[in-house]
Amino acid sequence: QVQLVESGGGLVQAGGSLRLSCVTSGVIFRVGLMGWYRQAPGNERELVARITSGGSTYYADSVKGRFTIARDNARNMVYLQMNSLKPEDTAVYYCNRVPADNQYWGQGTQVTVSS
């Protein structure tokens, strides 16, 4: 069964850092474009960063300069390094293809940033 499993979330104070990890199967990973999404309570899920198989990246304006997406093609892993976290970054974070494939949403990992 194809799965995406996110980890690395937690509770952190504003200004702190977290590193999220996503392990997936080659079936998903070989598509090429992978991304990190987040959903805060009452909000729609949004794409915050994406990365091509070659390493080209894109960031939403809200996280640009603070978040870094990376991938390990040999391990089918995608990472999100989050620095200078703000309370508005509080959300459940998910990884998925870009554009997202609804059959592959995992449980996500909760990130809570206290002020």
Side-chain angles (χ1 to χ4, degrees), residues 12 14-16 38-40 46 48 62-63 66-67 82-93 109-113:
V12 64
R38 69 184 180 187
Q39 187 169 21
E46 61 173 345
V48 296
S62 58
V63 306
R66 300 187 297 120
F67 289 12
M82 306 187 296
N83 299 328
S84 303
L85 283 161
K86 304 176 181 180
E88 51 263 44
D89 295 319
T90 295
V92 179
Y93 284 72
T109 185
Q110 174 71 47
V111 171
T112 303
V113 185

mmCIF file of all heavy atoms in Angstrom, residues 12 14-16 38-40 46 48 62-63 66-67 82-93 109-113:
data_model
loop_
_atom_site.group_PDB
_atom_site.id
_atom_site.type_symbol
_atom_site.label_atom_id
_atom_site.label_comp_id
_atom_site.label_asym_id
_atom_site.label_seq_id
_atom_site.Cartn_x
_atom_site.Cartn_y
_atom_site.Cartn_z
ATOM 1 N N VAL A 12 6.786 24.493 19.755
ATOM 2 C CA VAL A 12 8.011 25.293 19.795
ATOM 3 C C VAL A 12 7.641 26.751 20.036
ATOM 4 O O VAL A 12 6.537 27.187 19.664
ATOM 5 C CB VAL A 12 8.797 25.124 18.471
ATOM 6 C CG1 VAL A 12 8.007 25.654 17.289
ATOM 7 C CG2 VAL A 12 10.171 25.750 18.549
ATOM 8 N N ALA A 14 7.951 30.834 19.486
ATOM 9 C CA ALA A 14 8.205 31.698 18.336
ATOM 10 C C ALA A 14 9.695 31.978 18.218
ATOM 11 O O ALA A 14 10.374 32.210 19.223
ATOM 12 C CB ALA A 14 7.423 32.997 18.482
ATOM 13 N N GLY A 15 10.183 31.919 16.988
ATOM 14 C CA GLY A 15 11.604 32.093 16.734
ATOM 15 C C GLY A 15 12.377 30.793 16.680
ATOM 16 O O GLY A 15 13.545 30.782 16.274
ATOM 17 N N GLY A 16 11.740 29.716 17.091
ATOM 18 C CA GLY A 16 12.395 28.425 17.109
ATOM 19 C C GLY A 16 12.385 27.737 15.756
ATOM 20 O O GLY A 16 11.936 28.303 14.751
ATOM 21 N N ARG A 38 0.113 22.752 4.330
ATOM 22 C CA ARG A 38 -0.313 22.900 5.714
ATOM 23 C C ARG A 38 -1.762 23.335 5.752
ATOM 24 O O ARG A 38 -2.274 23.958 4.826
ATOM 25 C CB ARG A 38 0.573 23.891 6.473
ATOM 26 C CG ARG A 38 0.421 25.348 6.035
ATOM 27 C CD ARG A 38 1.415 26.217 6.794
ATOM 28 N NE ARG A 38 1.304 27.620 6.415
ATOM 29 C CZ ARG A 38 2.141 28.566 6.819
ATOM 30 N NH1 ARG A 38 3.162 28.255 7.629
ATOM 31 N NH2 ARG A 38 1.969 29.820 6.438
ATOM 32 N N GLN A 39 -2.395 22.971 6.875
ATOM 33 C CA GLN A 39 -3.788 23.361 7.085
ATOM 34 C C GLN A 39 -3.961 23.786 8.527
ATOM 35 O O GLN A 39 -3.768 22.981 9.444
ATOM 36 C CB GLN A 39 -4.741 22.217 6.747
ATOM 37 C CG GLN A 39 -6.198 22.619 6.795
ATOM 38 C CD GLN A 39 -7.114 21.573 6.197
ATOM 39 O OE1 GLN A 39 -6.764 20.400 6.090
ATOM 40 N NE2 GLN A 39 -8.291 21.995 5.782
ATOM 41 N N ALA A 40 -4.327 25.038 8.702
ATOM 42 C CA ALA A 40 -4.623 25.577 10.028
ATOM 43 C C ALA A 40 -6.125 25.461 10.271
ATOM 44 O O ALA A 40 -6.907 25.422 9.316
ATOM 45 C CB ALA A 40 -4.174 27.026 10.112
ATOM 46 N N GLU A 46 -3.003 24.600 2.185
ATOM 47 C CA GLU A 46 -2.236 25.413 1.254
ATOM 48 C C GLU A 46 -0.861 24.815 1.026
ATOM 49 O O GLU A 46 -0.282 24.195 1.920
ATOM 50 C CB GLU A 46 -2.077 26.849 1.790
ATOM 51 C CG GLU A 46 -1.337 26.950 3.104
ATOM 52 C CD GLU A 46 -1.042 28.379 3.536
ATOM 53 O OE1 GLU A 46 -1.149 29.296 2.693
ATOM 54 O OE2 GLU A 46 -0.688 28.577 4.712
ATOM 55 N N VAL A 48 2.985 25.192 0.786
ATOM 56 C CA VAL A 48 3.963 26.140 1.308
ATOM 57 C C VAL A 48 5.316 26.011 0.606
ATOM 58 O O VAL A 48 6.074 26.987 0.562
ATOM 59 C CB VAL A 48 4.154 26.001 2.831
ATOM 60 C CG1 VAL A 48 2.876 26.340 3.562
ATOM 61 C CG2 VAL A 48 4.632 24.615 3.225
ATOM 62 N N SER A 62 4.641 33.567 2.354
ATOM 63 C CA SER A 62 4.534 33.580 3.811
ATOM 64 C C SER A 62 5.691 32.855 4.497
ATOM 65 O O SER A 62 5.940 33.076 5.681
ATOM 66 C CB SER A 62 3.207 32.966 4.245
ATOM 67 O OG SER A 62 3.092 31.651 3.753
ATOM 68 N N VAL A 63 6.396 31.980 3.771
ATOM 69 C CA VAL A 63 7.471 31.203 4.401
ATOM 70 C C VAL A 63 8.824 31.452 3.744
ATOM 71 O O VAL A 63 9.845 30.942 4.224
ATOM 72 C CB VAL A 63 7.163 29.695 4.375
ATOM 73 C CG1 VAL A 63 5.794 29.423 4.988
ATOM 74 C CG2 VAL A 63 7.254 29.117 2.974
ATOM 75 N N ARG A 66 12.463 31.597 5.341
ATOM 76 C CA ARG A 66 12.449 30.949 6.658
ATOM 77 C C ARG A 66 12.415 29.429 6.544
ATOM 78 O O ARG A 66 12.952 28.735 7.406
ATOM 79 C CB ARG A 66 11.224 31.414 7.464
ATOM 80 C CG ARG A 66 11.186 32.901 7.703
ATOM 81 C CD ARG A 66 10.041 33.280 8.647
ATOM 82 N NE ARG A 66 8.730 32.958 8.092
ATOM 83 C CZ ARG A 66 7.873 32.115 8.668
ATOM 84 N NH1 ARG A 66 8.178 31.527 9.817
ATOM 85 N NH2 ARG A 66 6.690 31.881 8.118
ATOM 86 N N PHE A 67 11.763 28.918 5.514
ATOM 87 C CA PHE A 67 11.621 27.472 5.324
ATOM 88 C C PHE A 67 12.511 27.020 4.173
ATOM 89 O O PHE A 67 12.706 27.750 3.202
ATOM 90 C CB PHE A 67 10.175 27.105 4.989
ATOM 91 C CG PHE A 67 9.195 27.248 6.121
ATOM 92 C CD1 PHE A 67 9.514 27.903 7.302
ATOM 93 C CD2 PHE A 67 7.917 26.705 5.998
ATOM 94 C CE1 PHE A 67 8.601 28.026 8.334
ATOM 95 C CE2 PHE A 67 6.989 26.820 7.017
ATOM 96 C CZ PHE A 67 7.334 27.488 8.183
ATOM 97 N N MET A 82 12.253 24.356 9.054
ATOM 98 C CA MET A 82 11.481 25.551 9.379
ATOM 99 C C MET A 82 12.209 26.338 10.447
ATOM 100 O O MET A 82 12.397 25.843 11.563
ATOM 101 C CB MET A 82 10.079 25.163 9.846
ATOM 102 C CG MET A 82 9.334 24.267 8.866
ATOM 103 S SD MET A 82 7.621 23.978 9.338
ATOM 104 C CE MET A 82 7.857 23.096 10.862
ATOM 105 N N ASN A 83 12.625 27.526 10.112
ATOM 106 C CA ASN A 83 13.325 28.408 11.039
ATOM 107 C C ASN A 83 12.503 29.660 11.299
ATOM 108 O O ASN A 83 11.575 29.972 10.546
ATOM 109 C CB ASN A 83 14.691 28.794 10.474
ATOM 110 C CG ASN A 83 15.604 27.607 10.250
ATOM 111 O OD1 ASN A 83 15.545 26.614 10.985
ATOM 112 N ND2 ASN A 83 16.461 27.685 9.247
ATOM 113 N N SER A 84 12.856 30.379 12.335
ATOM 114 C CA SER A 84 12.168 31.633 12.679
ATOM 115 C C SER A 84 10.658 31.448 12.677
ATOM 116 O O SER A 84 9.914 32.247 12.087
ATOM 117 C CB SER A 84 12.572 32.742 11.691
ATOM 118 O OG SER A 84 13.963 32.936 11.678
ATOM 119 N N LEU A 85 10.219 30.406 13.327
ATOM 120 C CA LEU A 85 8.799 30.072 13.317
ATOM 121 C C LEU A 85 7.967 31.156 13.995
ATOM 122 O O LEU A 85 8.402 31.793 14.964
ATOM 123 C CB LEU A 85 8.569 28.723 13.979
ATOM 124 C CG LEU A 85 8.937 27.524 13.095
ATOM 125 C CD1 LEU A 85 9.128 26.266 13.940
ATOM 126 C CD2 LEU A 85 7.865 27.296 12.038
ATOM 127 N N LYS A 86 6.759 31.321 13.459
ATOM 128 C CA LYS A 86 5.815 32.316 13.961
ATOM 129 C C LYS A 86 4.538 31.614 14.401
ATOM 130 O O LYS A 86 4.221 30.528 13.882
ATOM 131 C CB LYS A 86 5.478 33.321 12.847
ATOM 132 C CG LYS A 86 6.681 34.020 12.238
ATOM 133 C CD LYS A 86 6.240 34.912 11.082
ATOM 134 C CE LYS A 86 7.430 35.606 10.427
ATOM 135 N NZ LYS A 86 7.004 36.484 9.298
ATOM 136 N N PRO A 87 3.773 32.232 15.288
ATOM 137 C CA PRO A 87 2.501 31.610 15.695
ATOM 138 C C PRO A 87 1.593 31.307 14.502
ATOM 139 O O PRO A 87 0.863 30.300 14.526
ATOM 140 C CB PRO A 87 1.890 32.666 16.615
ATOM 141 C CG PRO A 87 3.071 33.354 17.213
ATOM 142 C CD PRO A 87 4.082 33.422 16.103
ATOM 143 N N GLU A 88 1.648 32.109 13.466
ATOM 144 C CA GLU A 88 0.798 31.861 12.294
ATOM 145 C C GLU A 88 1.256 30.660 11.464
ATOM 146 O O GLU A 88 0.572 30.266 10.520
ATOM 147 C CB GLU A 88 0.711 33.108 11.408
ATOM 148 C CG GLU A 88 2.044 33.716 11.026
ATOM 149 C CD GLU A 88 2.427 34.886 11.933
ATOM 150 O OE1 GLU A 88 2.262 34.767 13.170
ATOM 151 O OE2 GLU A 88 2.918 35.903 11.388
ATOM 152 N N ASP A 89 2.384 30.071 11.801
ATOM 153 C CA ASP A 89 2.809 28.828 11.158
ATOM 154 C C ASP A 89 2.133 27.609 11.783
ATOM 155 O O ASP A 89 2.291 26.486 11.281
ATOM 156 C CB ASP A 89 4.320 28.663 11.256
ATOM 157 C CG ASP A 89 5.095 29.721 10.481
ATOM 158 O OD1 ASP A 89 4.673 30.055 9.353
ATOM 159 O OD2 ASP A 89 6.111 30.214 11.013
ATOM 160 N N THR A 90 1.401 27.804 12.865
ATOM 161 C CA THR A 90 0.715 26.704 13.523
ATOM 162 C C THR A 90 -0.278 26.051 12.571
ATOM 163 O O THR A 90 -1.148 26.728 12.002
ATOM 164 C CB THR A 90 -0.007 27.198 14.786
ATOM 165 O OG1 THR A 90 0.973 27.648 15.726
ATOM 166 C CG2 THR A 90 -0.841 26.089 15.409
ATOM 167 N N ALA A 91 -0.136 24.755 12.367
ATOM 168 C CA ALA A 91 -0.966 24.014 11.414
ATOM 169 C C ALA A 91 -0.581 22.543 11.454
ATOM 170 O O ALA A 91 0.428 22.173 12.072
ATOM 171 C CB ALA A 91 -0.776 24.558 10.000
ATOM 172 N N VAL A 92 -1.372 21.739 10.771
ATOM 173 C CA VAL A 92 -0.966 20.372 10.480
ATOM 174 C C VAL A 92 -0.264 20.405 9.124
ATOM 175 O O VAL A 92 -0.794 20.965 8.160
ATOM 176 C CB VAL A 92 -2.165 19.411 10.442
ATOM 177 C CG1 VAL A 92 -1.691 17.992 10.112
ATOM 178 C CG2 VAL A 92 -2.899 19.425 11.774
ATOM 179 N N TYR A 93 0.913 19.813 9.078
ATOM 180 C CA TYR A 93 1.726 19.832 7.866
ATOM 181 C C TYR A 93 1.688 18.454 7.204
ATOM 182 O O TYR A 93 1.809 17.423 7.867
ATOM 183 C CB TYR A 93 3.162 20.216 8.198
ATOM 184 C CG TYR A 93 3.325 21.695 8.470
ATOM 185 C CD1 TYR A 93 2.831 22.260 9.639
ATOM 186 C CD2 TYR A 93 3.951 22.532 7.545
ATOM 187 C CE1 TYR A 93 2.950 23.624 9.878
ATOM 188 C CE2 TYR A 93 4.080 23.889 7.788
ATOM 189 C CZ TYR A 93 3.580 24.429 8.950
ATOM 190 O OH TYR A 93 3.709 25.778 9.177
ATOM 191 N N THR A 109 1.583 16.035 10.389
ATOM 192 C CA THR A 109 2.282 16.226 11.658
ATOM 193 C C THR A 109 1.954 17.624 12.165
ATOM 194 O O THR A 109 2.032 18.607 11.422
ATOM 195 C CB THR A 109 3.800 15.998 11.491
ATOM 196 O OG1 THR A 109 4.439 16.066 12.768
ATOM 197 C CG2 THR A 109 4.448 16.985 10.542
ATOM 198 N N GLN A 110 1.581 17.699 13.446
ATOM 199 C CA GLN A 110 1.118 18.958 14.023
ATOM 200 C C GLN A 110 2.310 19.828 14.407
ATOM 201 O O GLN A 110 3.235 19.376 15.098
ATOM 202 C CB GLN A 110 0.265 18.698 15.265
ATOM 203 C CG GLN A 110 -0.158 19.944 16.021
ATOM 204 C CD GLN A 110 -1.194 20.763 15.273
ATOM 205 O OE1 GLN A 110 -2.180 20.218 14.772
ATOM 206 N NE2 GLN A 110 -0.979 22.071 15.192
ATOM 207 N N VAL A 111 2.265 21.072 13.971
ATOM 208 C CA VAL A 111 3.249 22.079 14.375
ATOM 209 C C VAL A 111 2.500 23.171 15.127
ATOM 210 O O VAL A 111 1.540 23.741 14.604
ATOM 211 C CB VAL A 111 3.975 22.666 13.162
ATOM 212 C CG1 VAL A 111 4.843 23.857 13.570
ATOM 213 C CG2 VAL A 111 4.826 21.597 12.481
ATOM 214 N N THR A 112 2.929 23.418 16.356
ATOM 215 C CA THR A 112 2.309 24.452 17.170
ATOM 216 C C THR A 112 3.390 25.425 17.621
ATOM 217 O O THR A 112 4.382 25.013 18.231
ATOM 218 C CB THR A 112 1.602 23.862 18.390
ATOM 219 O OG1 THR A 112 0.629 22.899 17.957
ATOM 220 C CG2 THR A 112 0.910 24.948 19.195
ATOM 221 N N VAL A 113 3.205 26.691 17.300
ATOM 222 C CA VAL A 113 4.176 27.726 17.649
ATOM 223 C C VAL A 113 3.531 28.657 18.663
ATOM 224 O O VAL A 113 2.520 29.297 18.376
ATOM 225 C CB VAL A 113 4.620 28.507 16.409
ATOM 226 C CG1 VAL A 113 5.721 29.506 16.786
ATOM 227 C CG2 VAL A 113 5.118 27.563 15.321
#
